[in-house]
Amino acid sequence: NQPLHYPTARRDVSVIDDYHGVKIADPYRWLEDPDAEEVKEFVQEQVTLTESVLKTCDTREKLREKITKSFDHPRYYAPFKRGNKYFYFYNTGLQAQDVLYVQDCLEGEPEVLLDPNGFSEDGTVSLNTLTISEDAKYLAYGLSTSGSDWITIKVMHVENKIVEADTLKWVKFTSISWTHDSKGFFYSRYPAPKEGENFDAGTETDASLYHELYYHFVGTDQAEDILCWRDPENPKYMFGAGVTDDGKYLLLYITESCDPVNKVYYCDMSAFSDGLEGFRGRTDLLPFVKLIDNFDAQYQHIANDDTEFTFLANKDAPKYKVVRVDLKDPGSWIDVVPESEKDVLESACAVNGDKMIVSYLRDVKYVLQIRDLKTGSLLRQLHIDIGSVTGISARRKDSIVFISFASFLTPGIIYQCNLDTEVPDMKIFREITVPGFDRTEFQVNQVFVPSQDGTTIPMFIVARKNIKLDGSHPCLLYAYGGFNISITPSFSVSRTVLTRHLGAVFCIANIRGGGEYGEEWHKAGSLARKQNCFDDFISASEYLVSAGYTQPKKLCIEGGSNGGLLIGACINQRPDLFGCALAHVGVMDMLRFHKFTIGHAWTSDFGCSDKKEEFGWLIKYSPLHNVRRPWEQHPEQPTQYPSTMLLTADHDDRVVPLHSLKLLATMQHILCSSLKNSPQTNPIIGRIDCKAGHGAGRPTQKLIDQAADRYSFMAKMLGASWNE
Ligand SMILES: O=C(NCC(=O)N1CCC[C@H]1C(=O)O)OCc1ccccc1
């Protein structure tokens, strides 16, 4: 490929920070201001460069066509019952956003209740959250614009579909929970950010601090909302509230980071003679009792029978367990379902009055059981194939529950399970089929790969049947590795097109930092041990080469967000091991991430450069600070960085675009532009989207276009050929 003309970005060598005595230059600091003309020019130049490269990727239009065709199939989501109505989301195939339907019974005539596609021409307004009142009288929903985390809450009257005047602004990271009198709901918000002229919510990078819990009465202005809780002494604290099934208690969850730990306070609302009316206009907060007032563990409410509360918890149980406490005797906790030796207790949901559906993760595959809510004893194993339970739609009062399932070769099945019958049947309620996808052509296997320190890392490998292990296959390896998040089997439309038409092998490595084996696995890939994530991913890559699936120049690695950090760190540490790298919305400046939007909440996995010891961890792998010329590092075997695409978007206020912009400028400077005949001939480019964010709510067309761009780039750089 002909040498590219990279834009030259100004280097402000005067910006030098002192971290505990260590001087660190940050010449692209100016790229941190999204409103600066110079930054907009930098972005535009990168967009032009990237478009010039993508034009040469000759599978781009074929991929766009095939992915569009594959996407064009009806997609149902599990129904959920509220009051005496059923609700469900459905997409005919290529609709930008899924549509909410309502019906009087499962066989009833469905009606469109809420169609987010009507909120914008280009589908960039999405439904971020939705909660229906207990009697199904009202629907409260949060709309997000251009993929930003900011939402605006609206209220709709379900019966006549009239949207009330209520408009709640500056809401972010919230649950919505109605009081059972349907007079209003609890929600969380931030103070309004300073709105300069033409303020474009979601492009600002200000830190999100001082979260507050409010109660909104339907039919009133937000200004009259009742402030229920806040904690100005702890600006990082975040508040989530939920009304218990009996309508009696308000549970307040307090978190201060992304660690699976939270405080639990409760308020007995039955003590209020007239609901929250009595609190109108008052300035004191709601009277909460502090059940758990520390961050030692995570507690998630499952059910309560008056003062007897059942929680899913990880207190002294890194693989989680079900516990119970009586509010009258808050010191004595009992185990209802003890922690399992091997399996991670992933979820527990009270159903059919006296039962609970629990899901376990066993070597990254799901196990589903019905247990007695009181005693925890096992009643029934629900058989499911290798794959993921992607949703359990059930309430304690329901005897009919819906279980959503998907896997690498199963686009989606919704099972209907009647818990009243002796043997609960798992009947197929809906099944998603993808045009042109024939599962019999593919095989999935799971291997366990030793990492550098001997830890075995699970990896799923999806390939066409009977491929020769001759190292000839283009291979796409994906991982995440953080925040206690488990990457379990899922179906991907674009991936099926890659395996079908480019002969690609697709792999997911369940590296440390995730939740695959519980809290120990998460901690083993965090803080001082974050390097384990990179070691695991490199070992997984080396396995794919040594086992004959692929070879370095045919191996593409991909990850997003914390997974984008993974990609950035790995191409710095082993530029020789990969032919292509795709890093989505990566956290790339590990010394400054905590200063922007919600980044301060991530110090639980990363640490913080404000602390000397933690600065020592971060400076060693921070992508932005570890770009070096491989041909200078190892003159004996001249190598270069893989072809690299950094993807970001202007309204990403989860991981602000400055991370990718600063890394892009740094890589292009060090590796590409500043040397005349630089050995770096593999392109280093950025795909910067507009009216788009971190990922949630992305409209179908943008999903397709991005997939066509990144995978046609991959195909060209790996030399993969198209077979019809
Ligand atoms: O920040 C996150 N989640 C973590 C997240 O989005 N991360 C963590 C690292 C970068 C990015 C990612 O990997 O998607 O969600 C916001 C939130 C809500 C409630 C309490 C705390 C925080």
Side-chain angles (χ1 to χ4, degrees), residues 13 115 155 175 268 333 384 397 408 473 480 553:
V13 294
D115 180 356
V155 179
S175 50
D268 178 348
W333 293 74
I384 48 171
K397 62 175 78 166
F408 294 113
H473 309 283
Y480 181 75
K553 70 179 173 45

Side-chain angles (χ1 to χ4, degrees), residues 173 238 255 257-258 480 483 560-563 587 598 601-602 606 654-655 694:
F173 308 135
M238 303 173 74
T255 55
S257 76
C258 287
Y480 181 75
F483 297 86
S561 207
N562 167 71
V587 185
I598 195 60
W602 313 336
F606 297 143
R654 182 68 64 89
V655 177
H694 196 58

Side-chain angles (χ1 to χ4, degrees), residues 293-539:
D293 200 20
N294 60 55
F295 292 115
D296 295 348
Q298 181 175 70
Y299 296 83
Q300 286 172 325
H301 174 260
I302 296 174
N304 67 291
D305 288 296
D306 200 13
T307 59
E308 218 181 37
F309 275 69
T310 305
F311 290 97
L312 174 62
N314 60 16
K315 172 77 175 158
D316 309 322
K319 288 192 174 61
Y320 295 77
K321 61 182 179 180
V322 177
V323 294
R324 182 164 295 139
V325 70
D326 193 318
L327 303 184
K328 296 190 198 98
D329 178 9
S332 53
W333 293 74
I334 60 160
D335 286 0
V336 176
V337 179
E339 180 187 30
S340 155
E341 192 52 39
K342 233 178 93 50
D343 305 338
V344 183
L345 178 50
E346 223 243 358
S347 75
C349 175
V351 291
N352 197 230
D354 60 356
K355 301 179 184 68
M356 58 179 152
I357 294 187
V358 300
S359 70
Y360 284 94
L361 210 47
R362 176 179 298 164
D363 284 330
V364 207
K365 289 160 288 192
Y366 275 77
V367 170
L368 211 47
Q369 299 171 345
I370 300 186
R371 287 179 175 262
D372 181 281
L373 178 57
K374 191 109 187 82
T375 65
S377 58
L378 177 60
L379 299 177
R380 175 80 45 201
Q381 198 88 19
L382 293 176
H383 171 71
I384 48 171
D385 291 336
I386 288 185
S388 306
V389 171
T390 52
I392 295 172
S393 169
R395 295 173 306 171
R396 189 168 181 185
K397 62 175 78 166
D398 295 332
S399 59
I400 305 282
V401 302
F402 295 91
I403 294 160
S404 305
F405 173 82
S407 79
F408 294 113
L409 306 183
T410 309
I413 297 179
I414 300 172
Y415 294 104
Q416 177 176 343
C417 185
N418 180 346
L419 296 169
D420 273 342
T421 56
E422 186 38 44
V423 176
D425 58 343
M426 285 273 275
K427 205 171 64 174
I428 292 188
F429 174 70
R430 296 249 193 261
E431 186 156 12
I432 293 177
T433 54
V434 171
F437 173 65
D438 172 1
R439 60 177 294 149
T440 63
E441 290 177 11
F442 302 96
Q443 72 187 51
V444 179
N445 48 50
Q446 184 180 38
V447 295
F448 292 85
V449 175
S451 185
Q452 269 170 351
D453 65 358
T455 306
T456 49
I457 307 300
M459 173 157 62
F460 287 108
I461 301 176
V462 184
R464 301 188 63 141
K465 276 184 175 145
N466 312 321
I467 57 166
K468 282 200 302 299
L469 297 184
D470 57 2
S472 67
H473 309 283
C475 184
L476 177 60
L477 172 62
Y478 178 90
Y480 181 75
F483 297 86
N484 192 37
I485 289 175
S486 306
I487 307 297
T488 64
S490 64
F491 189 83
S492 151
V493 162
S494 48
R495 185 176 67 228
T496 49
V497 173
L498 297 184
T499 38
R500 172 79 186 67
H501 292 289
L502 294 174
V505 173
F506 175 77
C507 309
I508 287 185
N510 294 103
I511 61 177
R512 277 173 281 183
E516 284 85 353
Y517 291 100
E519 189 51 12
E520 287 145 339
W521 195 253
H522 168 219
K523 292 246 175 307
S526 302
L527 301 172
R529 292 187 282 173
K530 185 65 186 173
Q531 180 61 36
N532 281 337
C533 306
F534 315 135
D535 293 347
D536 294 355
F537 196 64
I538 288 166
S539 299

Side-chain angles (χ1 to χ4, degrees), residues 447 459 461 468-471 540-550:
V447 295
M459 173 157 62
I461 301 176
K468 282 200 302 299
L469 297 184
D470 57 2
S541 303
E542 288 174 328
Y543 169 82
L544 292 170
V545 173
S546 61
Y549 285 96
T550 190

Side-chain angles (χ1 to χ4, degrees), residues 68-140:
T68 303
K69 273 209 179 66
S70 252
F71 240 109
D72 192 3
H73 62 271
R75 282 187 295 285
Y76 286 92
Y77 297 86
F80 50 98
K81 197 174 181 188
R82 296 291 180 270
N84 54 15
K85 296 177 187 305
Y86 272 103
F87 301 82
Y88 65 91
F89 281 96
Y90 172 65
N91 192 313
T92 55
L94 295 176
Q95 289 176 291
Q97 303 291 339
D98 302 333
V99 178
L100 177 64
Y101 291 79
V102 59
Q103 46 188 166
D104 287 335
C105 65
L106 278 180
E107 299 72 26
E109 184 57 31
E111 277 175 54
V112 173
L113 180 59
L114 183 64
D115 180 356
N117 296 296
F119 291 124
S120 66
E121 280 304 302
D122 55 3
T124 52
V125 172
S126 58
L127 190 57
N128 173 290
T129 185
L130 165 116
T131 304
I132 292 162
S133 60
E134 198 62 19
D135 55 6
K137 181 179 177 187
Y138 287 116
L139 158 63

Side-chain angles (χ1 to χ4, degrees), residues 149 172-174 190 211 236-239 255-259 480 482-483 485 560-565 584-587 593 597-602 605-606 652-655 694:
D149 275 328
K172 186 151 65 157
F173 308 135
T174 192
Y190 282 100
H211 212 213
K236 284 179 63 168
Y237 278 15
M238 303 173 74
F239 306 109
T255 55
E256 66 166 356
S257 76
C258 287
D259 254 355
Y480 181 75
F483 297 86
I485 289 175
S561 207
N562 167 71
L565 155 63
H584 300 252
V585 292
V587 185
F593 72 85
T597 64
I598 195 60
H600 62 75
W602 313 336
D605 259 53
F606 297 143
D652 185 348
D653 48 5
R654 182 68 64 89
V655 177
H694 196 58

